[in-house]
Amino acid sequence: MSSQFITLRPAPIPNNTNPESRKNPTAIPLYQRIYVPSHVYRHPSAILLELCTSLKELHQILPLIIKNGFYNEHFFQTKLISLFCKFSSITEAARVFEPVEHKLDVIYHTMLKGYAKNSVLHDALKFYGRMRYDEVSPVVYDFTYLLQLCGESLDLRRGREVHGMVITNGFQSNLFAMTSVVNLYAKCRQIEDAYKMFERMPQRDLVSWNTVVAGYAQNGFARRAVQLVLQMQEAGQKPDSITLVTVLPAVADVKALRIGKSVHGYAFRAGFESMVNVATAMLDMYFKCGSVRNARLLFKGMNSRNVVSWNTVINGYEQNGESEEAFATFLKMLDEGVEPTNVSMMGALHACANLGDLERGRFVHRLLEEKKLGSDVSVMNSLISMYSKCKRVDIAASVFGNLKQKTIVTWNAMLLGYAQNGCVNEALNLFCEMQSHDIKPDSFTLVSVITALADLSVTRQAKWIHGLAIRTLMDKNVFVCTALVDTYAKCGAIQTARALFDMMEERHVITWNAMIDGYGTHGHGKEALDLFDEMQEGSVKPNEITFLSVIAACSHSGLVEEGLYYFESMKLNYGLKPAMDHYGAMVDLLGRAGRLDDAWKFIQDMPVKPGITVLGAMLGACKIHKNVELGEKVADELFELDPDEGGYHVLVANMYASASMWEKVARVRTAMEKKGIQKTPGCSLVELRNEVHTFYSGSTNHPQSKRIYAYLDTLGDEIKAAGYVPDTDSIHDVEEDVKEQLLSSHSERLAIAFGLLNTSHGATIHIRKNLRVCGDCHEATKYISLVTGREIIVRDLRRFHHFKNGSCSCRDYW
């Protein structure tokens, strides 16, 4: 009869209950050799254990082992403990381990591995302590398991203790142990200590090199990670697929496309390009480096793709602003039968959100319910954001309300949704509800609330949220501070915004953009350009939004030549490609200055077909300068694009009205009625004693309406006496006195009258209007500021107007 022996290192036989019995030299031979008869290791139950792939199968095999009397065999005990640990059932592994009378060292090591893989650090270290108490000498792999668990738990203190055990047990020169030590320090963000340990290693293999490369890459030292790959090759180590998958994210982080292409070339020569994980990492690198074309070609040539590859492409297109391509890739993935994951769904929802495509968003919503992915909170957060960006904040609120589990991200998504849709009261109410649930706000929460408050343009509210940021120790956070700078600017407190900007220790590009844009909307073009010059001298590089703000600032202040210069500088000096908004801002710059021919030629010379914003800016310029002929030509092109906003139709009607072309006015209004397009009603807000009062043009539903209209009559006489002449040319088919009544009932006039009646003499009146201030109201407000001695600040759709002593900060250039 044949047999098999398992040879173990010298060790006493362990005894669970009495450690002293382990020290009896006569009880155990010097070398443990377990005799395993052939009928044991050849038995079907032993073969089944070797083939076992799940906990369920193991539970089915266990009765067979017991029935055949093999349960107390060391061979089976060790195998059972190993499998229970492998299938994450440490409790059942312990049930096998504890009753074993004479425990061999190997099952201690197996149990320790199980605790390290399936339990918390405390339990693993506790078992290690018991193992030492039972006089089991540790092997090197015991420490590698414990070090790995310390690294995953980010427990540097205990990790250092285990490192000490490595040294005291004589493994400080062991390759495997020291690689684990390097990994521990890297995971705990002690990258310098990690590198010191790496340098002290008497020998280094590919795994140790990969470990230190990964450490630098994951700790944000991308360039150093790339350098180490070069050093590694100089040291005679050939990078493998793990090296490439480790270093490619680092290359992507620093957007080093040239290095990325070199890595791609190496992967091709070494035969790694066909490996799906390497190819996917290269896809991610190309997308993050902005090389969409190379990513597209690589993906097209991949013979093997998994869902991670598809997700990388979907998210890559999304990150590069190609949302249509992202959604098309998602649909193609479904067509090829690839089962979408949570990440796939979130990528598709982000694409729909950026496209503002509600129908496709609803399709993804139905799909995630069909695939039963609706329980994932991250997916639901993306769903809330999608509906919010598609202007259906009511559906977003319904999704939010039905969610049983909400994270801080969920609350923030809903808060931001309300803020983006101008639902200020809902945002504030939700913030209060969040606090009543004892959910601690983070910086994103405050940014969402601040964004909502910016829409109110109430300085007192800005000060309240600023105070909350200070009390919650978030006033130094760059994103919170940037949002506050933006909000103070939008509340008319431009000096406060600049003071806060100057106090910031850290400024991102969005911070500079917010301050430059603030100056621009207040008509402080020179200050905006001075600040931009200061930015260019620093380390923060301007982006597309920066130049859009700079050109808009030039437009608001009539700095035409400067605007033309910066548009060219954007392309030549910074390599930035103008978007449709930049072209629209340039047309506005030229058109507002009366250079209509130059503006029209600029449009004709555009390398892309002009969009709605470009033609809309041109139409606005034609209306301001009463060029009906060119305006009609622009309107024809504009309406071919089928804009869904009634504002452009109203603009055409007003252009005709200013030229007394009443038949054409009527024709435009008839066309609007047929298409179901409605004019956006003028709405103005004014805050008084913690309450926001809303006024619509011609409305009489405010409690003080009679008093307001009576005061406007009196005020009208006063400003006429001061020189005000009503501009009634835009009104037709009514008597002159009715025309004046219609003008005086515009929403901003009602709000101004309310503010004057309900505040003390000398107090500044702050008004927020949803549309552009009309010419007559602008003129009337100048005279109101003169006769009342009040400063009146009006924020309209485009900019701020500071009225004081009969003049406006825009100098009638708006």
Side-chain angles (χ1 to χ4, degrees), residues 97 108 111-112 115 123-131:
F97 174 82
Y108 276 94
M111 274 302 293
L112 182 61
Y115 274 110
D123 291 344
L125 289 172
K126 185 178 178 182
F127 185 82
Y128 175 80
R130 181 227 176 126
M131 188 176 100

Side-chain angles (χ1 to χ4, degrees), residues 248-249 251-257 260-261 264 279-300 302 308-323 325-327 329:
L248 280 166
V251 173
D253 285 343
V254 295
K255 294 181 170 36
L257 181 59
K261 286 181 176 179
H264 187 174
T280 301
M282 288 193 294
L283 277 174
D284 181 64
M285 179 273 296
Y286 278 126
F287 275 122
K288 286 180 178 172
C289 289
S291 184
V292 176
R293 180 177 172 276
N294 282 324
R296 187 181 288 117
L297 289 171
L298 176 61
F299 183 67
K300 189 176 180 181
M302 286 174 67
V308 180
S309 311
W310 286 97
N311 291 345
T312 300
V313 174
I314 292 167
N315 291 325
Y317 279 132
E318 188 58 40
Q319 290 161 4
N320 284 275
E322 298 192 19
S323 297
E325 282 286 346
F327 197 81
T329 304

Side-chain angles (χ1 to χ4, degrees), residues 177 445 521 530 740:
T445 313
T521 55
D530 288 344
E740 291 184 21

Side-chain angles (χ1 to χ4, degrees), residues 157-173:
R157 183 181 64 81
R158 285 177 172 172
R160 290 190 191 278
E161 290 174 4
V162 178
H163 183 187
M165 296 176 198
V166 169
I167 296 169
T168 56
N169 282 276
F171 294 119
Q172 67 270 24
S173 297

Side-chain angles (χ1 to χ4, degrees), residues 108-281:
Y108 276 94
H109 303 314
T110 304
M111 274 302 293
L112 182 61
K113 178 182 178 182
Y115 274 110
K117 299 286 184 185
N118 301 294
S119 190
V120 294
L121 180 57
H122 172 78
D123 291 344
L125 289 172
K126 185 178 178 182
F127 185 82
Y128 175 80
R130 181 227 176 126
M131 188 176 100
R132 297 299 287 142
Y133 180 75
D134 288 351
E135 296 185 347
V136 177
S137 298
V139 294
V140 68
Y141 295 107
D142 295 334
F143 297 115
T144 62
Y145 300 140
L146 290 174
L147 287 165
Q148 183 179 358
L149 186 54
C150 289
E152 290 170 355
S153 306
L154 303 180
D155 195 325
L156 182 61
R157 183 181 64 81
R158 285 177 172 172
R160 290 190 191 278
E161 290 174 4
V162 178
H163 183 187
M165 296 176 198
V166 169
I167 296 169
T168 56
N169 282 276
F171 294 119
Q172 67 270 24
S173 297
N174 183 277
L175 178 64
F176 304 108
M178 293 312 296
T179 299
S180 296
V181 170
V182 171
N183 182 61
L184 160 78
Y185 287 120
K187 286 275 175 67
C188 292
R189 306 192 71 80
Q190 303 296 310
I191 193 64
E192 290 184 7
D193 288 343
Y195 190 69
K196 285 177 185 175
M197 296 302 107
F198 176 75
E199 279 193 312
R200 292 174 188 173
M201 292 173 68
Q203 61 178 120
R204 302 164 189 157
D205 65 356
L206 187 56
V207 176
S208 54
W209 276 100
N210 284 346
T211 301
V212 76
V213 169
Y216 275 100
Q218 291 163 6
N219 279 279
F221 299 99
R223 295 192 184 280
R224 181 65 178 131
V226 172
Q227 288 171 1
L228 280 167
V229 173
L230 299 176
Q231 288 180 28
M232 161 186 186
Q233 293 176 82
E234 290 169 2
Q237 290 291 346
K238 196 174 180 182
D240 64 358
S241 62
I242 303 298
T243 317
L244 302 189
V245 171
T246 300
V247 78
L248 280 166
V251 173
D253 285 343
V254 295
K255 294 181 170 36
L257 181 59
R258 186 180 59 80
I259 296 173
K261 286 181 176 179
S262 298
V263 174
H264 187 174
Y266 175 85
F268 177 78
R269 292 190 299 274
F272 295 134
E273 190 186 37
S274 60
M275 297 176 68
V276 68
N277 61 332
V278 175
T280 301

Side-chain angles (χ1 to χ4, degrees), residues 302-371:
M302 286 174 67
N303 295 322
S304 175
R305 300 167 181 165
N306 58 18
V307 70
V308 180
S309 311
W310 286 97
N311 291 345
T312 300
V313 174
I314 292 167
N315 291 325
Y317 279 132
E318 188 58 40
Q319 290 161 4
N320 284 275
E322 298 192 19
S323 297
E324 282 287 358
E325 282 286 346
F327 197 81
T329 304
F330 175 71
L331 293 179
K332 189 177 180 184
M333 181 182 86
L334 297 177
D335 290 341
E336 294 196 10
V338 180
E339 195 66 21
T341 63
N342 297 339
V343 177
S344 317
M345 292 297 188
M346 287 190 285
L349 287 169
H350 290 157
C352 296
N354 289 335
L355 291 168
D357 195 319
L358 182 61
E359 288 310 307
R360 282 193 273 190
R362 281 178 161 157
F363 162 75
V364 179
H365 189 176
R366 288 192 298 271
L367 187 64
L368 68 89
E369 287 180 344
E370 178 188 316
K371 300 290 183 183

Side-chain angles (χ1 to χ4, degrees), residues 634-647:
V634 175
D636 289 340
E637 288 196 24
L638 176 62
F639 292 134
E640 281 180 13
L641 301 176
D642 196 25
D644 55 2
E645 289 184 25

